[in-house]
Amino acid sequence: MLPLRKQVRLADVKGELRDGDLLLFRRRGLISIAGRGVHSHAAKVAWWGDEPFCVEVREWFGGRAVTLASQVERCPGRIDLFRANPGNRWPEYDAAAATRYMRLLAGCDYGYAAVIEAALLHLPITRMCVTADVEDRSVSRRPPFCSQACAMADRLAGGVDPAPYLADRVTEPADLARSPFYQYQFTFAGE
């Protein structure tokens, strides 16, 4: 059972959404089962004209941009919105640049190899022998998975590392949910 959250209709909060806000999807899947939390997918909000979009790197699709309304309709009660940089605690953060970075990922492949590598770190034997990479030494040339893309957008383009003690390539949606760089606001109910 998922914890109770503040449920809102997209139409009622549309004006509160900002470029760069984090969208975390709650559902059962490989990432949430093997991971460290209830979230299995991460995306960002990006405004196009008067319409908020969900920009993401998603399995089977790769990088894409779809209306946020279409995702709320598809996943009612399962999309949590987290405010990026609550209270402007990181004044150097550039939400517009992070959003542009996510838009540029549209059309990229999904990072299946990267997500498998991150998941393998949870195996009991692996956990005893290998520690998670904490340094972002370089940008991987492999396609990213969802939360890796969001972390890269905020760190490389936005100027703030949302998980400073964890490399982007092993950052999971649950790691972003626990980051002080994001603050839970509400969950989108069905329209």
Short mmCIF file of all heavy atoms in Angstrom, two decimals, residues 2-27:
data_model
loop_
_atom_site.label_atom_id
_atom_site.label_comp_id
_atom_site.label_asym_id
_atom_site.label_seq_id
_atom_site.Cartn_x
_atom_site.Cartn_y
_atom_site.Cartn_z
N LEU A 2 0.59 2.18 -0.88
CA LEU A 2 1.34 3.42 -0.95
C LEU A 2 0.86 4.39 0.12
O LEU A 2 -0.32 4.42 0.45
CB LEU A 2 1.17 4.05 -2.33
CG LEU A 2 1.70 3.24 -3.50
CD1 LEU A 2 1.36 3.92 -4.81
CD2 LEU A 2 3.18 3.03 -3.39
N PRO A 3 1.76 5.19 0.69
CA PRO A 3 1.33 6.15 1.70
C PRO A 3 0.38 7.19 1.12
O PRO A 3 0.42 7.50 -0.07
CB PRO A 3 2.64 6.80 2.16
CG PRO A 3 3.64 6.49 1.11
CD PRO A 3 3.18 5.26 0.39
N LEU A 4 -0.50 7.71 1.96
CA LEU A 4 -1.43 8.75 1.52
C LEU A 4 -0.66 9.99 1.13
O LEU A 4 0.27 10.40 1.80
CB LEU A 4 -2.42 9.09 2.62
CG LEU A 4 -3.53 8.08 2.84
CD1 LEU A 4 -4.37 8.50 4.03
CD2 LEU A 4 -4.40 7.96 1.62
N ARG A 5 -1.09 10.61 0.07
CA ARG A 5 -0.46 11.82 -0.43
C ARG A 5 -1.54 12.86 -0.69
O ARG A 5 -2.71 12.55 -0.79
CB ARG A 5 0.28 11.54 -1.75
CG ARG A 5 1.36 10.50 -1.67
CD ARG A 5 2.54 11.02 -0.90
NE ARG A 5 3.62 10.05 -0.91
CZ ARG A 5 4.89 10.37 -0.93
NH1 ARG A 5 5.26 11.62 -0.93
NH2 ARG A 5 5.80 9.45 -0.92
N LYS A 6 -1.12 14.09 -0.83
CA LYS A 6 -2.04 15.18 -1.15
C LYS A 6 -2.42 15.04 -2.63
O LYS A 6 -1.60 15.27 -3.51
CB LYS A 6 -1.36 16.53 -0.89
CG LYS A 6 -2.21 17.71 -1.25
CD LYS A 6 -1.45 19.00 -1.03
CE LYS A 6 -2.24 20.19 -1.51
NZ LYS A 6 -1.46 21.43 -1.39
N GLN A 7 -3.66 14.63 -2.89
CA GLN A 7 -4.14 14.41 -4.26
C GLN A 7 -4.73 15.71 -4.82
O GLN A 7 -5.54 16.34 -4.16
CB GLN A 7 -5.21 13.32 -4.27
CG GLN A 7 -4.73 11.98 -3.75
CD GLN A 7 -4.21 11.10 -4.86
OE1 GLN A 7 -4.69 11.14 -5.99
NE2 GLN A 7 -3.24 10.28 -4.53
N VAL A 8 -4.30 16.08 -6.02
CA VAL A 8 -4.80 17.28 -6.68
C VAL A 8 -5.11 16.97 -8.14
O VAL A 8 -4.57 16.04 -8.71
CB VAL A 8 -3.78 18.45 -6.61
CG1 VAL A 8 -3.48 18.84 -5.17
CG2 VAL A 8 -2.50 18.09 -7.34
N ARG A 9 -5.97 17.78 -8.71
CA ARG A 9 -6.24 17.68 -10.14
C ARG A 9 -5.25 18.58 -10.88
O ARG A 9 -4.96 19.68 -10.42
CB ARG A 9 -7.66 18.13 -10.45
CG ARG A 9 -8.74 17.20 -9.95
CD ARG A 9 -10.14 17.76 -10.13
NE ARG A 9 -10.14 19.04 -10.83
CZ ARG A 9 -10.79 19.29 -11.96
NH1 ARG A 9 -11.54 18.38 -12.50
NH2 ARG A 9 -10.74 20.47 -12.53
N LEU A 10 -4.76 18.11 -12.00
CA LEU A 10 -3.80 18.89 -12.80
C LEU A 10 -4.37 20.26 -13.13
O LEU A 10 -3.67 21.27 -13.01
CB LEU A 10 -3.43 18.13 -14.08
CG LEU A 10 -2.53 18.87 -15.08
CD1 LEU A 10 -1.22 19.29 -14.45
CD2 LEU A 10 -2.29 18.00 -16.30
N ALA A 11 -5.62 20.33 -13.50
CA ALA A 11 -6.24 21.61 -13.87
C ALA A 11 -6.18 22.62 -12.72
O ALA A 11 -6.06 23.83 -12.95
CB ALA A 11 -7.68 21.39 -14.31
N ASP A 12 -6.24 22.13 -11.48
CA ASP A 12 -6.25 23.03 -10.32
C ASP A 12 -4.87 23.56 -9.95
O ASP A 12 -4.76 24.57 -9.27
CB ASP A 12 -6.85 22.31 -9.10
CG ASP A 12 -8.32 21.96 -9.30
OD1 ASP A 12 -8.99 22.62 -10.13
OD2 ASP A 12 -8.79 21.03 -8.62
N VAL A 13 -3.80 22.87 -10.37
CA VAL A 13 -2.44 23.28 -9.98
C VAL A 13 -1.56 23.60 -11.17
O VAL A 13 -0.37 23.88 -10.99
CB VAL A 13 -1.77 22.19 -9.11
CG1 VAL A 13 -2.51 22.00 -7.80
CG2 VAL A 13 -1.63 20.88 -9.88
N LYS A 14 -2.12 23.61 -12.35
CA LYS A 14 -1.33 23.83 -13.56
C LYS A 14 -0.46 25.07 -13.46
O LYS A 14 0.71 25.06 -13.83
CB LYS A 14 -2.28 23.91 -14.76
CG LYS A 14 -1.61 23.91 -16.10
CD LYS A 14 -2.67 23.86 -17.20
CE LYS A 14 -2.07 24.01 -18.57
NZ LYS A 14 -3.08 23.97 -19.62
N GLY A 15 -1.00 26.15 -12.92
CA GLY A 15 -0.25 27.40 -12.79
C GLY A 15 0.89 27.35 -11.80
O GLY A 15 1.76 28.23 -11.79
N GLU A 16 0.94 26.34 -10.95
CA GLU A 16 2.01 26.21 -9.96
C GLU A 16 3.22 25.43 -10.49
O GLU A 16 4.27 25.43 -9.85
CB GLU A 16 1.49 25.49 -8.71
CG GLU A 16 0.39 26.23 -7.98
CD GLU A 16 -0.15 25.43 -6.82
OE1 GLU A 16 0.64 24.70 -6.16
OE2 GLU A 16 -1.36 25.51 -6.56
N LEU A 17 3.06 24.77 -11.62
CA LEU A 17 4.13 23.94 -12.16
C LEU A 17 5.25 24.80 -12.73
O LEU A 17 5.00 25.84 -13.34
CB LEU A 17 3.59 23.01 -13.25
CG LEU A 17 2.42 22.12 -12.85
CD1 LEU A 17 1.97 21.28 -14.03
CD2 LEU A 17 2.77 21.26 -11.67
N ARG A 18 6.48 24.35 -12.55
CA ARG A 18 7.64 25.08 -13.04
C ARG A 18 8.50 24.17 -13.92
O ARG A 18 8.60 22.97 -13.68
CB ARG A 18 8.51 25.55 -11.88
CG ARG A 18 7.84 26.48 -10.93
CD ARG A 18 8.84 26.87 -9.86
NE ARG A 18 8.19 27.56 -8.75
CZ ARG A 18 8.73 27.70 -7.57
NH1 ARG A 18 9.93 27.22 -7.32
NH2 ARG A 18 8.09 28.34 -6.62
N ASP A 19 9.17 24.80 -14.89
CA ASP A 19 10.18 24.06 -15.64
C ASP A 19 11.17 23.46 -14.65
O ASP A 19 11.59 24.12 -13.70
CB ASP A 19 10.96 25.01 -16.57
CG ASP A 19 10.30 25.20 -17.93
OD1 ASP A 19 9.42 24.41 -18.28
OD2 ASP A 19 10.67 26.17 -18.61
N GLY A 20 11.53 22.21 -14.88
CA GLY A 20 12.51 21.55 -14.04
C GLY A 20 11.96 20.82 -12.84
O GLY A 20 12.69 20.10 -12.16
N ASP A 21 10.65 20.98 -12.54
CA ASP A 21 10.07 20.21 -11.45
C ASP A 21 10.22 18.73 -11.77
O ASP A 21 10.16 18.32 -12.93
CB ASP A 21 8.59 20.55 -11.24
CG ASP A 21 8.38 21.84 -10.45
OD1 ASP A 21 9.34 22.35 -9.85
OD2 ASP A 21 7.24 22.33 -10.45
N LEU A 22 10.40 17.93 -10.73
CA LEU A 22 10.62 16.50 -10.87
C LEU A 22 9.31 15.74 -10.77
O LEU A 22 8.50 16.01 -9.88
CB LEU A 22 11.58 16.03 -9.78
CG LEU A 22 11.97 14.56 -9.77
CD1 LEU A 22 12.83 14.22 -10.99
CD2 LEU A 22 12.73 14.23 -8.49
N LEU A 23 9.10 14.81 -11.68
CA LEU A 23 7.94 13.92 -11.65
C LEU A 23 8.44 12.52 -11.31
O LEU A 23 9.30 11.99 -12.01
CB LEU A 23 7.25 13.90 -13.02
CG LEU A 23 6.75 15.23 -13.54
CD1 LEU A 23 6.38 15.12 -15.02
CD2 LEU A 23 5.56 15.72 -12.72
N LEU A 24 7.93 11.95 -10.23
CA LEU A 24 8.30 10.59 -9.86
C LEU A 24 7.06 9.72 -9.91
O LEU A 24 6.03 10.04 -9.32
CB LEU A 24 8.92 10.55 -8.46
CG LEU A 24 10.29 11.21 -8.35
CD1 LEU A 24 10.80 11.16 -6.91
CD2 LEU A 24 11.30 10.56 -9.28
N PHE A 25 7.16 8.62 -10.65
CA PHE A 25 6.05 7.71 -10.88
C PHE A 25 6.15 6.54 -9.90
O PHE A 25 7.20 5.92 -9.80
CB PHE A 25 6.09 7.16 -12.31
CG PHE A 25 5.81 8.18 -13.37
CD1 PHE A 25 6.66 9.27 -13.56
CD2 PHE A 25 4.72 8.04 -14.21
CE1 PHE A 25 6.40 10.21 -14.55
CE2 PHE A 25 4.46 8.96 -15.20
CZ PHE A 25 5.31 10.06 -15.37
N ARG A 26 5.04 6.24 -9.25
CA ARG A 26 4.99 5.11 -8.31
C ARG A 26 4.29 3.94 -8.99
O ARG A 26 3.14 4.05 -9.39
CB ARG A 26 4.23 5.49 -7.05
CG ARG A 26 4.96 6.54 -6.26
CD ARG A 26 4.36 6.75 -4.92
NE ARG A 26 3.26 7.71 -4.99
CZ ARG A 26 2.23 7.72 -4.16
NH1 ARG A 26 2.14 6.84 -3.21
NH2 ARG A 26 1.30 8.63 -4.28
N ARG A 27 5.01 2.84 -9.13
CA ARG A 27 4.43 1.61 -9.66
C ARG A 27 5.41 0.48 -9.41
O ARG A 27 6.58 0.71 -9.14
CB ARG A 27 4.11 1.73 -11.14
CG ARG A 27 5.33 1.89 -12.01
CD ARG A 27 4.97 1.88 -13.48
NE ARG A 27 6.19 1.94 -14.25
CZ ARG A 27 6.53 2.93 -15.03
NH1 ARG A 27 5.74 3.95 -15.18
NH2 ARG A 27 7.66 2.91 -15.70
#
